[in-house]
Amino acid sequence: MIRPRSREAGPMAWPRWRAERALPWLWAAAVFLLVVLPVAGLVWRSLRVPGRAGLGLGNYAAALVEDGVALAAWHSLVIGLGSTAGALLLAVPFALLVSRTDLPGREFFRSVAVLTFAAPSFIAALGWILLLGPRGGLLNEYLLGPLGLPRLNIYGPGGIVLVLVLFLYPLIFLPVSDALDNMDARLEEAAASLGASRRRVLRSVTLPLITPTVLAGAMLVFISAFAIFGPIALLGGPVGYETIPSALLRMMAFPPRIELAAVLGLPVIVLLGAILAAQHRVLGRRRFVTGAGKPLRPRRWRLGVWRWPAFLFGAAVMLLSVVLPFGVLLLTSFRRAVGLPLRPENLVLLDNYRLLLAEPGVLISFWNSLWISALGALLAVALALVAGWLAARGSIRWLRRVIAPAMLAPLAFPGAVLGIAAIIAYSGSPLWMGGTLGIILVAFVIRVLPQSYSYLAAGFEQLNREHEEAARSLGAGWVGTARRVLVPLLRGPLLSVGVLNFVLLFRELDISVFLYTGANPVAPVLLYQLAIESRFQLVGALSVVILAINLTVVWLARLALRTP
């Protein structure tokens, strides 16, 4: 209970005033450390030519003639555009089926799409290697071969795009299906009453109304696919297919050429930042209003004879995106040897899990991943809570205008580029964090700042000021008001984004593989190393453990959210 206390003189008045007045300075210091310093370090290092005094553009000239850089940039563009096109072709029709038709199992298919976020994309790539690898892939050995069909090879750009489409399509599917569910159907009903066919209503009314959501999802897919590392390394590495992240990792191999890596990373930040800014400007100028007052729920279209073929389409998406890639990893964790035929005598129960526990560094890697993921999620949420309060309640107008751009700026940092920037900014003087878990922790906080702020800023918009004003009128300072009023009222967004942060960080490979030195092992890097060594039984066992931990955390969070 908050007890009344005078705002006049008193021993606690100045400390409360000081705490609130210090918030903008604390936020500014955190943003300088987490956003400004990495970008400035990247720019400075790109201009510093080894062996020469001063700064210059020599590194940029060297990068232009560096073998494989131009081809890697082209490959990134091809993968980004191909994955975006494939995700659009899959997600938009699927969202229409789930949201607007009498498709059987609609909510089940929606839930399955959410499950893809419980696993990192490189785990899905590992599953497809075990399914369509040229040697020993289960689908090649036990389905395509016996049927006399040509064997498929998952390695190369085609396999990369396939895996990324199946992994990233929920970035479009989930928001589009939500937009269709919440759309006011009055315009559709009006068009239909004027004689428009269902196809014309869909083309002229429904699709234009969901355009901003489709574009936003497509941008997220492109950004993710353009700069992703794990699937590219696993599916492109064996055939020499490089994109920008894999070229960056090659540059960081001994002897590291960090100046060239900085040169290659800066255009990526500029490109992705320009895409995000253009998206915000274009969508911000247009208005997509569907009506006023209480919305009219859309009618579900009857599929008739197409009902069960549509169900088979949904089942195929579920099979390809979840069941097959993750199921084969579970099966592989019980196999004695991947090279032996799939027979009962080649199956074991817990042997691979015991071997995994006996592997050097496994337990410490898991412990490191657990605590830095939890702490990174907590620190990002705490900073986002302060930023959300300053943006919604702060009295400094100019600061309120810069908070959102500063908090959302890391969206333009791909994992590989963020890893390079963290090495430059935090490895040397005065922080000396290189090779420690601290540098991974800081990079993790940067990674999840944008989503943390987005969740909590939306929560503040729905929060009534009266509760905070009542607490302040009773003498509570900012810390007391936050602890007793803001945190309980924002419990749902805080818990949701905290869990999402943990799940994303616990599986994070793109950052960790650049910051790993052997002295700071984490579980995703260990999994990546096992895959490179083709120790697929241990890969399957470790993948199952990572998935189980993430699913358990999500399940516990859902239970907590249901608790009154």
Side-chain angles (χ1 to χ4, degrees):
M1 178 179 178
I2 300 175
R3 297 180 180 178
R5 185 178 183 90
S6 172
R7 288 192 173 205
E8 307 298 331
M12 292 299 292
W14 183 75
R16 286 172 179 165
W17 175 86
R18 183 178 63 180
E20 186 169 327
R21 295 279 292 188
L23 286 179
W25 295 101
L26 292 174
W27 175 83
V31 168
F32 176 81
L33 177 67
L34 300 176
V35 179
V36 177
L37 189 60
V39 175
L42 207 62
V43 174
W44 172 78
R45 197 60 181 262
S46 72
L47 297 173
R48 181 187 174 190
V49 181
R52 298 183 186 176
L55 304 178
L57 299 177
N59 294 324
Y60 289 84
L64 289 176
V65 298
E66 174 72 15
D67 185 38
V69 168
L71 187 59
W74 170 249
H75 287 167
S76 285
L77 185 61
V78 169
I79 295 299
L81 292 176
S83 300
T84 304
L88 283 170
L89 292 174
L90 176 62
V92 175
F94 197 20
L96 286 168
L97 287 173
V98 167
S99 297
R100 288 304 182 86
T101 72
D102 58 347
L103 174 72
R106 295 185 304 273
E107 294 306 316
F108 175 72
F109 290 135
R110 199 190 300 254
S111 300
V112 167
V114 177
L115 287 179
T116 60
F117 294 115
S121 57
F122 72 93
I123 286 186
L126 288 171
W128 279 104
I129 289 174
L130 294 169
L131 289 167
L132 289 179
R135 292 183 296 178
L138 292 184
L139 291 182
N140 282 329
E141 292 292 332
Y142 296 100
L143 180 63
L144 300 180
L147 292 176
L149 299 175
R151 292 170 175 257
L152 300 179
N153 188 350
I154 196 63
Y155 293 109
I160 294 171
V161 170
L162 171 66
V163 170
L164 292 181
V165 167
L166 294 173
F167 178 75
L168 296 175
Y169 87 91
L171 293 177
I172 301 175
F173 168 78
L174 292 173
V176 169
S177 59
D178 287 340
L180 289 168
D181 288 342
N182 298 322
M183 183 186 297
D184 192 334
R186 287 188 177 94
L187 292 178
E188 294 174 304
E189 295 290 342
S193 68
L194 294 174
S197 65
R198 182 179 297 172
R199 181 177 299 177
R200 186 168 183 181
V201 170
L202 177 65
R203 184 178 66 251
S204 303
V205 179
T206 307
L207 290 180
L209 287 175
I210 63 172
T211 296
T213 306
V214 172
L215 289 178
M219 291 295 182
L220 288 177
V221 171
F222 176 82
I223 290 172
S224 301
F226 181 86
I228 204 165
F229 171 76
I232 307 291
L234 293 173
L235 300 176
V239 293
Y241 193 85
E242 267 195 347
T243 59
I244 289 177
S246 48
L248 285 172
L249 186 63
R250 173 169 55 83
M251 290 178 181
M252 295 303 295
F254 187 83
R257 295 174 293 167
I258 197 165
E259 290 81 12
L260 294 186
V263 169
L264 189 55
L266 275 175
V268 175
I269 292 180
V270 173
L271 173 63
L272 299 187
I275 291 174
L276 292 168
Q279 176 196 11
H280 177 74
R281 176 169 295 185
V282 170
L283 298 182
R285 288 178 176 176
R286 300 186 64 182
R287 296 293 181 265
F288 299 84
V289 180
T290 62
K294 186 177 180 180
L296 177 67
R297 302 298 298 175
R299 297 178 183 177
R300 294 202 179 275
W301 304 332
R302 295 190 177 277
L303 294 173
V305 296
W306 294 103
R307 192 165 183 254
W308 290 108
F311 174 80
L312 292 178
F313 168 73
V317 173
M318 178 188 68
L319 184 70
L320 294 174
S321 62
V322 176
V323 176
L324 281 178
F326 301 136
V328 74
L329 287 168
L330 178 63
L331 175 63
T332 303
S333 72
F334 298 122
R335 295 181 69 177
R336 189 182 305 276
V338 173
L340 298 178
L342 189 59
R343 296 174 180 171
E345 58 269 20
N346 190 28
L347 297 178
V348 294
L349 187 56
L350 299 176
D351 291 19
N352 291 323
Y353 292 90
R354 294 192 188 99
L355 290 174
L356 181 66
L357 290 176
E359 190 73 14
V362 167
L363 293 180
I364 189 64
S365 297
F366 262 98
W367 170 246
N368 289 340
S369 288
L370 285 171
W371 78 261
I372 63 172
S373 299
L375 184 57
L378 181 63
L379 291 175
V381 168
L383 180 56
L385 181 65
V386 172
W389 186 87
L390 289 172
R393 308 287 193 261
S395 58
I396 307 175
R397 292 186 178 180
W398 67 266
L399 183 64
R400 294 169 65 176
R401 290 194 293 268
V402 303
I403 284 176
M407 296 296 288
L408 299 178
L411 283 174
F413 284 26
V417 178
L418 179 54
I420 300 295
I423 292 172
I424 295 172
Y426 308 124
S427 291
S429 176
L431 298 175
W432 300 110
M433 299 172 67
T436 68
L437 288 170
I439 193 171
I440 299 180
L441 174 63
V442 173
F444 276 11
V445 174
I446 300 171
R447 182 67 155 175
V448 294
L449 268 185
Q451 67 202 36
S452 302
Y453 175 75
S454 299
Y455 267 73
L456 296 182
F460 272 105
E461 291 295 326
Q462 299 175 341
L463 207 59
N464 196 322
R465 291 173 178 262
E466 296 176 356
H467 301 288
E468 300 166 68
E469 292 172 356
R472 302 302 295 272
S473 68
L474 294 174
W478 187 88
V479 175
T481 302
R483 180 168 57 88
R484 300 182 181 183
V485 178
L486 291 179
V487 170
L489 291 177
L490 292 172
R491 173 176 169 270
L494 285 169
L495 186 57
S496 296
V497 76
V499 170
L500 178 61
N501 287 350
F502 176 85
V503 169
L504 293 177
L505 295 179
F506 187 72
R507 72 186 202 184
E508 176 61 49
L509 173 67
D510 291 18
I511 296 174
S512 305
V513 75
F514 281 86
L515 302 179
Y516 169 80
T517 63
N520 54 359
V522 287
V525 175
L526 175 64
L527 181 59
Y528 174 72
Q529 290 175 333
L530 291 174
I532 294 299
E533 297 169 3
S534 299
R535 302 170 69 183
F536 289 114
Q537 296 96 309
L538 298 186
V539 164
L542 185 54
S543 300
V544 170
V545 174
I546 291 176
L547 289 172
I549 290 175
N550 279 344
L551 291 174
T552 301
V553 170
V554 172
W555 177 71
L556 291 175
R558 293 188 63 180
L559 289 181
L561 285 171
R562 291 177 182 177
T563 303

